[in-house]
Amino acid sequence: MNPKVKSDISWQRIGTEVLIMDTTYLKQAHSLNSTAALVWQHLNGKNSPKQLASILSEEFEIDESSALNDVEALLERFRKLQLIEG
Amino acid sequence: MHDLKPSSSLVANLIAKAHSNHQPLFPTLEITQICNLACKHCYNFDRTKQATPNNQQEHMSSAQIENAIEQLRDLGALWINLSGGEPLTHPDILRFVNKASECHLIPRLKTNGLLFDEAMAERLKRAGLKGLDVSIYGASEETYEKFTKRPGKEKAFNALKIAKEKGFDISASIIIHKLNLSELSQMISQCQKLGVKFQLSDEITERYDKSPGARDYEIDGNDMKMLLSSEHGQLFKYKNHEQGLQCSCAKTVIGIGFDGSVYPCIGAPILAGNIKEQALAEIWKNSPVFSKIRNLRKEDFKSCNTCDFIDHCNRSSGGIYANTGDYCGCDSKTLEFSRIRSMLSNNQS
């Protein structure tokens, strides 16, 4: 299953950042910088980590292998914070 | 990681950014004008004369309301207030809450709480509701009914109790008027007993349809003096340190009326467009009304610039507009209350 933002996590883009309001699980607020925000906005269950890395690599002109490492680390962090499924 | 309060540094910083960018984080969407109470002060229309609105054909359809929620999401909303009338009278309320939740918004209800029982609380929770603001009009059933034409005090406080037990983020909105002034301590202590936070509002405005009588029960200067010297006086003091004149209208706030009318705030009935006729994004970006409000400068608030009591003024541009038709002006009550606060503050210092 591809990673997906949980349906009961509230969020919105503000400028280049994303504000996440987890009012359900750990009851915390988080902000994401523009790089993480780009990944976050594509966590819709349709994109695999590889596809997410490709989006990141294209937007920020980094190589796909470094992008994949960054994406995996980010996804792991989101999972620990109970923000995503898959 | 930060807590969820808007005052936490992370959230406050991002709200400030949205304010500068003009991003409507905090919309209010009136889903109906139908209500199960007939409050004397209602700004919609005079409910003491007619029970139901005579403009039901103008109400947005459920599909239009869902579409409005999606448009708000696309425009940058995060917290959404569903209001009315009484939003729980709408047969599709669960559908709207669910839609807001699906859009990753934080849905809240502005309600009188009378229809909020255990079963409804469960259904709303499942649909994704996060919070409620429950209006409180009295500490006794008698006072409540005098103001709303129907008993409901027990149900309103019970709604707060149930909502707290179910884990909703709740707030009691205590509406202060002539009839419940003597019950303020009781209303506050009943909220405290339930462990519920409360906010006080003495703002009662003219009706949007211009019918008379809404302000007949508004508190006056003598009442404010009494409140300021009461045990709760601290709650009515206000220090406008930065001499601020403007609010969040048309910046982080937007209001959409029951008929699709778009306003800078639900409390500021200045028509900017209608979502039945135009895309919300187009109204938000191009409306001359919004543009004018966003470009107001301190000099535009002429009466404020020469006012001696500005340091103690908590003016609401929307309320003043509803009462006088002048968004940048002042009204007699705002001036009087600021004068009283200033006078008492000078006497104490």
Side-chain angles (χ1 to χ4, degrees):
Chain A
M1 182 191 172
N2 290 326
K4 186 181 175 188
V5 176
K6 286 184 180 172
S7 59
D8 41 12
I9 293 293
S10 307
W11 66 275
Q12 182 56 272
R13 191 177 175 116
I14 300 175
T16 57
E17 297 167 73
V18 160
L19 171 61
I20 301 169
M21 300 290 283
D22 167 13
T23 57
T24 308
Y25 302 96
L26 303 180
K27 302 197 186 291
Q28 292 165 344
H30 311 273
S31 73
L32 305 179
N33 65 19
S34 56
T35 321
L38 182 68
V39 174
W40 178 265
Q41 287 172 98
H42 289 87
L43 293 176
N44 51 15
K46 292 177 187 157
N47 296 305
S48 67
K50 267 193 171 175
Q51 286 165 309
L52 293 166
S54 174
I55 293 166
L56 201 58
S57 142
E58 201 168 301
E59 182 69 25
F60 293 99
E61 295 179 355
I62 51 172
D63 68 87
E64 284 214 19
S65 135
S66 316
L68 187 58
N69 286 339
D70 289 347
V71 166
E72 293 287 10
L74 203 51
L75 292 177
E76 197 43 43
R77 181 91 182 119
F78 290 154
R79 283 187 200 102
K80 274 194 182 145
L81 291 171
Q82 303 181 36
L83 301 173
I84 62 169
E85 52 201 9
Chain B
M1 272 172 266
H2 294 258
D3 71 41
L4 292 164
K5 290 178 191 146
S7 55
S8 85
S9 59
L10 180 146
V11 180
N13 286 342
L14 284 166
I15 291 173
K17 191 176 273 187
H19 189 92
S20 314
N21 297 346
H22 305 150
Q23 177 175 342
L25 282 179
F26 304 101
T28 295
L29 180 57
E30 259 183 11
I31 59 170
T32 181
Q33 269 206 340
I34 293 171
C35 188
N36 47 353
L37 294 180
C39 298
K40 293 183 186 297
H41 74 308
C42 183
Y43 64 80
N44 288 153
F45 61 94
D46 189 349
R47 294 180 191 273
T48 63
K49 299 239 164 71
Q50 57 180 105
T52 51
N54 52 12
N55 49 14
Q56 291 196 52
Q57 73 288 352
E58 293 165 27
H59 274 64
M60 283 186 284
S61 68
S62 293
Q64 285 170 325
I65 292 172
E66 285 188 307
N67 182 261
I69 293 169
E70 281 176 7
Q71 290 194 64
L72 285 165
R73 159 76 202 183
D74 293 344
L75 203 51
L78 181 51
W79 290 264
I80 185 167
N81 268 314
L82 300 178
S83 116
E86 168 49 47
L88 289 175
T89 61
H90 199 297
D92 287 331
I93 180 65
L94 295 171
R95 189 170 143 188
F96 305 144
V97 170
N98 190 49
K99 167 57 80 178
S101 186
E102 274 176 12
C103 288
H104 295 283
L105 301 175
I106 303 176
R108 295 183 68 86
L109 286 187
K110 184 114 185 78
T111 174
N112 59 40
L114 270 62
L115 297 171
F116 188 85
D117 56 14
E118 289 269 353
M120 179 53 88
E122 265 310 314
R123 288 199 288 271
L124 287 164
K125 187 91 185 168
R126 276 199 299 274
L129 188 75
K130 303 295 185 194
L132 296 96
D133 296 294
V134 180
S135 300
I136 300 294
Y137 300 109
S140 68
E141 209 58 273
E142 192 193 350
T143 301
Y144 191 101
E145 188 171 356
K146 261 191 208 163
F147 196 66
T148 66
K149 272 199 159 180
R150 187 179 162 178
K153 176 251 163 185
E154 279 303 322
K155 283 185 175 171
F157 277 100
N158 199 41
L160 288 168
K161 182 171 173 277
I162 293 168
K164 181 160 174 81
E165 284 164 3
K166 300 280 179 199
F168 289 104
D169 176 37
I170 41 170
S171 172
S173 293
I174 299 177
I175 314 299
I176 303 169
H177 51 81
K178 281 273 186 199
L179 303 176
N180 70 5
L181 207 52
S182 61
E183 295 180 359
L184 180 62
S185 291
Q186 288 164 273
M187 289 188 281
I188 290 176
S189 76
Q190 286 179 36
C191 290
Q192 288 169 334
K193 213 165 138 188
L194 290 171
V196 167
K197 63 179 186 262
F198 63 89
Q199 54 200 12
L200 305 173
S201 173
D202 58 55
E203 189 183 34
I204 293 177
T205 66
E206 296 291 350
R207 294 197 174 94
Y208 292 5
D209 71 351
K210 308 289 179 206
S211 58
R215 296 176 73 190
D216 289 354
Y217 295 87
E218 185 178 41
I219 61 168
D220 60 24
N222 286 332
D223 299 325
M224 181 48 77
K225 276 185 208 161
M226 187 273 285
L227 287 168
L228 281 162
S229 54
S230 74
E231 60 176 316
H232 303 297
Q234 209 54 37
L235 300 172
F236 295 91
K237 287 181 183 161
Y238 186 79
K239 193 80 180 127
N240 186 5
H241 292 291
E242 292 167 2
Q243 300 198 341
L245 303 173
Q246 300 205 50
C247 54
S248 301
C249 282
K251 290 163 192 150
T252 52
V253 165
I254 187 172
I256 301 180
F258 72 99
D259 58 354
S261 296
V262 179
Y263 306 114
C265 165
I266 207 67
I270 314 171
L271 188 64
N274 190 300
I275 55 167
K276 288 181 186 166
E277 295 154 11
Q278 242 180 319
L280 184 61
E282 198 185 317
I283 299 169
W284 182 254
K285 283 173 193 148
N286 303 327
S287 151
V289 168
F290 289 170
S291 172
K292 190 174 174 190
I293 289 175
R294 288 172 191 146
N295 289 311
L296 285 172
R297 292 165 306 165
K298 199 171 177 232
E299 310 81 273
D300 296 313
F301 294 79
K302 291 192 172 61
S303 55
C304 300
N305 288 319
T306 53
C307 180
D308 292 334
F309 315 120
I310 192 71
D311 287 347
H312 296 273
C313 179
N314 65 347
R315 77 189 300 286
S316 150
S317 295
I320 288 172
Y321 177 84
N323 290 339
T324 68
D326 183 1
Y327 187 85
C328 299
C330 187
D331 62 12
S332 54
K333 185 185 133 178
T334 302
L335 180 63
E336 174 72 347
F337 285 11
S338 306
R339 187 185 67 78
I340 291 167
R341 275 192 289 263
S342 174
M343 193 181 71
L344 290 179
S345 168
N346 290 338
N347 287 349
Q348 282 162 8
S349 60

